[in-house]
Amino acid sequence: MQEGKSLNIFILDDEEIILEMLGVYFTKEGFQCHAYEDPELAVKDLLSGKPCDILVSDIFMDKYNGVEVAELMRIHRPEIPVVLITGFVRFSGNDIPSNVSDIILKPFELKNLKEKVLLAIEEFKSKL
């Protein structure tokens, strides 16, 4: 399994503390980390073609939710796998876009999230 070195990860979460924690962790693990609190800015950068190997997004946010962002990526950047994170156990997985590799419940272990991210990238690249 490929390690994080030189992989571009976009992280989208409207909770600043979660965003900062994930940004610090993935940067320390060798990823090129792009952290966004504003879904509109993340979508703008992703649609502009910025290099991205994976998107990790919270589901419930203002403006866009993570499922809507994943759907935009499925249409406009289908090469990007998405891992969704949520604190809501009762989240219904209906209408999840096909580019969503996993949905992870908060709280989670950072090492487990990293493993899911690397697996999603590996599996997605094998399908291309």
Side-chain angles (χ1 to χ4, degrees):
M1 190 179 309
Q2 184 179 2
E3 285 301 310
K5 292 171 182 46
S6 77
L7 291 173
N8 285 285
I9 183 170
F10 276 56
I11 302 170
L12 176 55
D13 198 307
D14 60 352
E15 290 183 62
E16 187 176 342
I17 193 160
I18 301 276
L19 192 64
E20 186 175 329
M21 176 188 64
L22 293 177
V24 167
Y25 176 76
F26 279 104
T27 298
K28 199 169 135 181
E29 291 297 311
F31 287 78
Q32 298 298 313
C33 191
H34 309 272
Y36 296 86
E37 196 171 348
D38 181 351
E40 288 182 331
L41 183 56
V43 167
K44 179 182 171 205
D45 283 354
L46 285 162
L47 293 180
S48 76
K50 283 197 174 183
C52 179
D53 294 294
I54 189 156
L55 168 65
V56 174
S57 178
D58 189 19
I59 292 177
F60 296 103
M61 299 176 288
D62 293 335
K63 299 178 187 172
Y64 288 103
N65 69 47
V67 174
E68 292 167 332
V69 174
E71 179 62 16
L72 284 170
M73 293 306 96
R74 186 190 66 76
I75 294 167
H76 299 286
R77 299 280 309 268
E79 76 280 8
I80 299 174
V82 178
V83 171
L84 296 175
I85 55 177
T86 184
F88 294 92
V89 177
R90 293 185 179 187
F91 171 72
S92 170
N94 298 338
D95 301 320
I96 297 297
S98 59
N99 58 336
V100 174
S101 298
D102 214 333
I103 299 173
I104 299 174
L105 293 176
K106 296 176 187 176
F108 49 79
E109 291 185 28
L110 292 171
K111 183 179 176 184
N112 182 45
L113 178 59
K114 177 187 167 192
E115 289 170 1
K116 300 279 187 179
V117 161
L118 292 172
L119 184 61
I121 293 170
E122 187 176 294
E123 288 177 350
F124 229 71
K125 286 185 178 179
S126 72
K127 292 178 186 177
L128 297 178

